Amino acid sequence: MKGCQSDSCSQRASRMSECLDVGLELCPVCGDKVSGYHYGLLTCESCKGFFKRTVQNNKKYTCVEHQACTVDKTQRKRCPFCRFQKCLHVGMKLEAVRADRMRGGRNMFGPMYKRDRALKEQRKALLQAARSSLKSSLPPPPPPPPPHRGFSLSCGLQADPLPQPHPLLPPSSSRLPQHQSPSVLDWSVKAEPRSSFTSSDPGGLRLPPLMMEFLRCDPDELQLQSRITARLQQEQQRHASSSSSSSSSCSLLCIMADQMLCSIVEWARTSFFFKQLQVELSDITCRAGPTALSLIQRGQQLVEKLLKLKADRQEFACIKFLILFNPGKLVQEQVEGALLEYTLSSSQVLGRFALLLQCVSELQSLSSLTESYLHSRHLSARVCCNNLLSEMLHARQSWTGALACA
DNA sequence: ATAGCCTTGATC
DNA sequence: GATCAAGGCTAT
């Protein structure tokens, strides 16, 4: 290894500031932090090196599985075949690896990198505008939760304070576009072709790499529906055979909730950002709860809003990450960035992104209220299922007790 | 073989 | 001179 000469130290310092700048991006191949533009797009240092070695040495790999291995930060070494396929799939350019091995200088992709940077800046500004618009139309955010230790069973159902009606706004159900800041919602922008978008969905629309990851781990909704139906039928048969009274609506609801909870946990555990999650306990507070009817009504209003927006599978996948993972700032920015990029390229209207963020916010408060509701039912022993749902509610009760003692 | 750090050199 | 994306080096 060479010593740290004064020149290389200054270069290192500038590289550090560069890393801070691009540090918010994740490598489209493995999800590691990117270190700059390499062979056509922003990637991490290890995928840059891997791509270079593979192309320079004309390596041929084979996959011992089914050519569909997971490529993430921890498993990227496992299957070089699938890793290299993913490098090509996300758009790394073979022609950027120099045949003559000439060092230094710039290549033909310089202008492309510059354009991509400018677009990223534009996207950042749009994101901030949409966020500030959302903030001004919603009640102030809750104070940050205390730094508890322990595993969160909330599965992203982070408890927010009860949403107070905003003094300046009508009820949330009618809080639709007309109440948004016109400067943002009426601001149509041209979706320019994105150099980093290299793959298309079946409809021919180019998708951000992060969104492709979300779709890859997206559960099969039909499968979930049939599982729930099977569980409900099983329950009905059980009651019929034991000649007891038919199952109550509450117990059927609990079975549905439990089955969905299992699927959510299953999905979350295999999802892209799972390893980056900060393990923290939900903000556990006791408070007056809503009624089942009001929750259902709010849920229906939200469903209507999403139907009206015609939210598609891609957008729904992002919303699920934002809601259920309740991710940290870095992940939140990534997911929101992918969603913004997608809505711009699919609808070309920024207002759509702001409306989707509103739905996310509404869903967050609704899930928090539902959790409170189920918890209160649990305390009054009206949630009787011996399953994951009751386990979650029991854990919440234990933590509430522990915090009260502390 | 991998991945982090270093050197190089065209371009700004 | 600064930047930054190439290739190179080397500890693991």
Side-chain angles (χ1 to χ4, degrees):
Chain A
M1 276 289 192
K2 282 98 189 165
C4 180
Q5 296 153 356
S6 60
D7 182 48
S8 74
C9 282
S10 69
Q11 282 186 8
R12 210 162 160 180
S14 74
R15 199 183 307 276
M16 289 292 278
S17 65
E18 175 206 327
C19 286
L20 289 174
D21 195 24
V22 298
L24 293 173
E25 296 274 342
L26 297 181
C27 175
V29 181
C30 69
D32 202 352
K33 278 182 187 167
V34 309
S35 65
Y37 285 92
H38 306 295
Y39 309 111
L41 68 160
L42 287 170
T43 73
C44 69
E45 196 64 21
S46 70
C47 287
K48 166 201 153 188
F50 170 77
F51 191 77
K52 179 185 68 176
R53 286 192 301 274
T54 303
V55 179
Q56 279 182 342
N57 304 324
N58 194 26
K59 287 186 181 299
K60 303 283 178 232
Y61 307 115
T62 48
C63 177
V64 292
E65 296 288 323
H66 304 96
Q67 306 191 348
C69 303
T70 304
V71 182
D72 59 24
K73 195 182 171 183
T74 54
Q75 299 181 76
R76 63 192 176 198
K77 287 190 205 173
R78 274 192 178 176
C79 180
F81 177 90
C82 290
R83 189 182 187 182
F84 188 59
Q85 289 304 306
K86 198 167 176 190
C87 285
L88 296 172
H89 187 67
V90 301
M92 291 182 83
K93 311 274 189 224
L94 292 166
E95 58 270 35
V97 180
R98 296 170 185 167
D100 59 3
R101 299 203 169 196
M102 242 289 269
R103 298 176 77 182
R106 298 285 156 88
N107 60 16
M108 64 186 109
F109 297 107
M112 193 179 87
Y113 297 150
K114 200 176 167 183
R115 211 166 43 242
D116 196 60
R117 274 206 186 86
L119 283 167
K120 279 190 163 58
E121 282 299 312
Q122 186 191 22
R123 192 186 76 178
K124 207 170 145 187
L126 292 175
L127 203 57
Q128 277 169 357
R131 279 216 196 97
S132 59
S133 158
L134 186 69
K135 269 183 196 159
S136 66
S137 70
L138 288 173
H148 304 305
R149 297 278 180 272
F151 178 69
S152 168
L153 269 171
S154 69
C155 303
L157 299 171
Q158 295 271 33
D160 290 325
L162 280 174
Q164 301 297 322
H166 195 286
L168 301 174
L169 286 171
S172 59
S173 58
S174 58
R175 219 183 287 151
L176 278 171
Q178 62 268 29
H179 302 291
Q180 284 282 332
S181 157
S183 64
V184 167
L185 287 177
D186 300 335
W187 187 8
S188 301
V189 292
K190 274 187 186 169
E192 295 181 50
R194 304 220 21 95
S195 59
S196 56
F197 290 8
T198 51
S199 304
S200 306
D201 73 354
L205 192 67
R206 293 157 93 79
L207 296 180
L210 193 61
M211 199 171 255
M212 285 166 58
E213 277 297 332
F214 292 165
L215 291 177
R216 196 181 53 75
C217 57
D218 207 31
D220 186 339
E221 300 291 339
L222 286 175
Q223 205 177 20
L224 173 60
Q225 273 178 28
S226 59
R227 257 196 252 173
I228 292 173
T229 310
R231 273 279 302 271
L232 291 174
Q233 281 171 347
Q234 209 178 2
E235 180 69 6
Q236 290 288 41
Q237 280 167 6
R238 199 172 63 81
H239 277 274
S241 63
S242 65
S243 66
S244 61
S245 58
S246 63
S247 353
S248 71
S249 302
C250 183
S251 69
L252 289 177
L253 274 174
C254 287
I255 289 168
M256 280 174 67
D258 180 61
Q259 191 63 57
M260 288 182 80
L261 191 61
C262 288
S263 299
I264 289 167
V265 170
E266 200 177 302
W267 164 74
R269 282 174 60 85
T270 57
S271 283
F272 192 57
F273 285 119
F274 186 71
K275 291 185 184 68
Q276 296 175 37
L277 279 178
Q278 277 188 325
V279 178
E280 59 180 35
L281 187 70
S282 303
D283 173 23
I284 296 169
T285 47
C286 288
R287 49 188 174 230
T291 65
L293 189 64
S294 70
L295 287 171
I296 291 168
Q297 280 171 345
R298 276 186 69 172
Q300 282 174 334
Q301 283 162 358
L302 188 57
V303 168
E304 277 166 26
K305 202 189 264 190
L306 284 164
L307 284 174
K308 205 171 165 185
L309 273 171
K310 293 193 173 72
D312 62 20
R313 190 176 165 226
Q314 287 78 2
E315 291 164 339
F316 196 54
C318 283
I319 289 175
K320 282 196 287 189
F321 267 90
L322 288 171
I323 295 292
L324 293 160
F325 278 83
N326 198 6
K329 191 174 176 291
L330 180 68
V331 172
Q332 194 184 345
E333 278 176 7
Q334 291 281 316
V335 181
E336 285 182 359
L339 183 59
L340 174 64
E341 221 157 339
Y342 177 74
T343 52
L344 286 181
S345 61
S346 62
S347 79
Q348 311 213 345
V349 178
L350 181 63
R352 179 173 185 81
F353 174 69
L355 286 172
L356 286 170
L357 279 195
Q358 262 200 340
C359 289
V360 168
S361 184
E362 169 67 8
L363 250 173
Q364 271 167 341
S365 82
L366 188 56
S367 65
S368 164
L369 283 173
T370 308
E371 192 188 15
S372 292
Y373 170 76
L374 288 171
H375 183 233
S376 66
R377 301 281 294 189
H378 177 70
L379 288 180
S380 56
R382 277 178 284 185
V383 170
C384 48
C385 317
N386 183 23
N387 52 25
L388 186 59
L389 176 66
S390 56
E391 208 175 294
M392 183 189 88
L393 296 169
H394 185 72
R396 184 187 157 124
Q397 188 182 354
S398 309
W399 275 104
T400 311
L403 286 175
C405 293

